[in-house]
Amino acid sequence: MIKRIFGDVPNWAKRENPLLRYEIVRNQPHLTSRARLVRMSGWALIFAFLLLIGYAITTDGFQRGLQMPYTVDIWRILFYPILILQVVLRVAGLSMGVNAISDERRRQTWDNLRSTEMGTEISLRTRWISVLFYRLRGLLVSVMLARIVLVMAILYELTSFQGQYLDILTTRSTPSVPLEFGVILLAGLMTAIVLMPITATGVDVALGLLISSTIRNRALSGILQVLVLIFRVGTTVLLLLLMLQFQNDLLALDSTSAWLLSSGFAVFGDWGLTLTQLTQTGQMWAEIPYSVFIGGLLLLVTLLQVMMASAFLALAVRIAERNE
């Protein structure tokens, strides 16, 4: 999965790395074929249940069928299931990162890992890779596949009005932008939509590793973890409620506040999910000045998150080496 996304990777990120193989095997349950089938069936049932919730919300409690254009209802069906999975992804990523070093100490393997050349650095970076791309693989793939479906819906919507839909939206935006620039902004948005689950979760895992290397007291580490999780989940819920009120004209905001709320929700709330409904996004471009640039902002945020994850990992390594 890693090579398919990023191409060639450092040696510590390859499956041939003994520490990475150790992490994968240790955290991969030895299941029989029947147990694997039961596990996959359970995950499919959970995902189907979330889709059923989304369908119930979309159809007003099963009171109506899907309406044309179907892309709008597809977005409504997927929005809350993806949002729920994203919250679970963030919580799991941070928690697994926070417990990294304490798990190794409990197994009495931390000293052996540190005794090898660059052992601390390779161990923490390997844990980051294993959590993000192996232990959370099911959640991550589910979120990304659902987002790819929404990106495909954007591409389908672009065929409206004989292929002139994007031209109409960029002309009506405030300020209006040339079609060529609108294509670049939309391409940046779609790229960010697909990548943000990886980059944002990567930051959460790296932050967890930083907490793990900084605080050795498990009780204090647990309290800090809970506080961070409450802040993360609370921020998402609060931004969602404010955004729903704003969209339903229950919250009056000036242009600057509306832009800050929309961009803040896209970055810290739903990771840009709202922007994958092109008709609604076009209306936002027209009503909120400079909101047409939020897609470009999201792409910049994904690049910033890559740098943040790298910085957190590097700092976690330095602190772990200094404290031991």
Side-chain angles (χ1 to χ4, degrees):
M1 179 179 176
I2 303 173
K3 288 186 177 180
R4 293 192 186 100
I5 297 174
F6 299 107
D8 196 19
V9 293
N11 291 331
W12 54 265
K14 296 179 179 178
R15 287 184 70 103
E16 292 79 11
N17 174 18
L19 280 178
L20 182 56
R21 287 206 310 270
Y22 164 74
E23 282 285 342
I24 295 172
V25 171
R26 186 183 67 181
N27 294 293
Q28 194 173 49
H30 300 285
L31 302 175
T32 63
S33 298
R34 182 177 179 180
R36 289 192 183 94
L37 180 61
V38 170
R39 188 177 183 181
M40 292 177 61
S41 300
W43 175 244
L45 287 174
I46 292 173
F47 194 68
F49 176 70
L50 292 175
L51 289 178
L52 184 64
I53 293 175
Y55 185 83
I57 295 173
T58 302
T59 58
D60 301 323
F62 308 106
Q63 297 300 310
R64 66 171 179 85
L66 299 182
Q67 299 176 344
M68 296 185 66
Y70 294 125
T71 53
V72 176
D73 277 350
I74 289 174
W75 175 82
R76 289 173 178 166
I77 290 172
L78 290 176
F79 180 82
Y80 285 104
I82 298 176
L83 189 62
I84 291 171
L85 290 179
Q86 287 175 182
V87 172
V88 174
L89 190 60
R90 302 200 74 165
V91 170
L94 182 67
S95 298
M96 291 180 183
V98 168
N99 295 325
I101 294 179
S102 60
D103 286 347
E104 298 296 347
R105 288 198 183 99
R106 189 168 58 252
R107 295 187 179 97
Q108 298 182 342
T109 56
W110 179 240
D111 290 335
N112 292 333
L113 291 172
R114 289 181 58 253
S115 64
T116 60
E117 184 179 0
M118 299 180 65
T120 302
E121 178 177 0
I122 295 176
S123 176
L124 290 179
R125 291 185 181 276
T126 299
R127 173 60 72 100
W128 182 82
I129 284 286
S130 68
V131 169
L132 182 59
F133 291 105
Y134 293 97
R135 298 177 67 179
L136 294 176
R137 178 169 52 190
L139 271 173
L140 189 62
V141 169
S142 299
V143 169
M144 291 183 66
L145 287 178
R147 283 169 166 259
I148 290 173
V149 170
L150 295 179
V151 167
M152 297 300 293
I154 290 177
L155 296 175
Y156 178 78
E157 285 185 288
L158 290 177
T159 63
S160 303
F161 299 98
Q162 299 179 335
Q164 301 298 313
Y165 194 34
L166 182 59
D167 193 11
I168 295 172
L169 294 181
T170 54
T171 300
R172 294 177 60 241
S173 67
T174 307
S176 61
V177 297
L179 176 60
E180 295 78 8
F181 193 40
V183 171
I184 295 173
L185 290 174
L186 189 60
L189 170 63
M190 291 189 292
T191 303
I193 290 298
V194 176
L195 291 181
M196 275 200 92
I198 298 176
T199 58
T201 308
V203 171
D204 287 325
V205 178
L207 178 60
L209 290 172
L210 179 58
I211 294 174
S212 181
S213 63
T214 304
I215 303 176
R216 298 189 59 171
N217 186 292
R218 292 195 65 186
L220 184 57
S221 176
I223 292 173
L224 181 58
Q225 176 184 348
V226 170
L227 291 176
V228 173
L229 291 177
I230 289 175
F231 175 77
R232 288 290 178 82
V233 176
T235 300
T236 301
V237 173
L238 177 62
L239 287 171
L240 175 62
L241 293 176
L242 290 175
M243 196 66 184
L244 289 175
Q245 286 187 316
F246 176 67
Q247 290 175 341
N248 294 322
D249 298 323
L250 299 176
L251 180 64
L253 297 174
D254 57 33
S255 298
T256 302
S257 298
W259 189 91
L260 289 174
L261 174 60
S262 301
S263 57
F265 183 56
V267 173
F268 302 107
D270 68 348
W271 298 346
L273 274 180
T274 301
L275 301 177
T276 56
Q277 211 301 294
L278 195 56
T279 301
Q280 182 173 277
T281 300
Q283 183 179 354
M284 182 180 72
W285 289 355
E287 295 178 352
I288 303 175
Y290 301 101
S291 59
V292 69
F293 301 109
I294 292 179
L297 173 65
L298 278 183
L299 187 58
L300 290 176
V301 168
T302 61
L303 298 175
L304 178 62
Q305 287 173 336
V306 172
M307 292 186 287
M308 288 176 62
S310 179
F312 286 163
L313 274 174
L315 185 57
V317 170
R318 287 200 299 270
I319 293 175
E321 290 176 338
R322 184 187 65 195
N323 288 347
E324 298 298 333

